[in-house]
Amino acid sequence: MLILRVVLLMSAGVFLAGCGADGEPIQPTMSANIGVGSSGTYGGVGVGLSRGGFGVFLGL
């Protein structure tokens, strides 16, 4: 449940930062994946921000 809260808070931050209220717009990105392998199922999510030549991405 804690991971869900962290992901939701990060998503809200990406959304608010992406509105461009502080000048040059920040481009948010988000990805999610689910896979099935021989050892079971797995999932992952990630969020990122990029502005000009600078970008940050966080994956869980």
Side-chain angles (χ1 to χ4, degrees):
M1 192 68 171
L2 179 63
I3 292 175
L4 179 62
R5 287 184 184 181
V6 170
V7 170
L8 289 175
L9 285 173
M10 290 173 54
S11 298
V14 167
F15 177 76
L16 290 174
C19 72
D22 62 340
E24 183 181 340
I26 296 175
Q27 297 174 335
T29 58
M30 184 174 208
S31 66
N33 61 35
I34 299 174
V36 179
S38 60
S39 61
T41 60
Y42 59 91
V45 295
V47 293
L49 297 172
S50 63
R51 182 174 183 174
F54 180 72
V56 176
F57 187 80
L58 175 65
L60 301 172

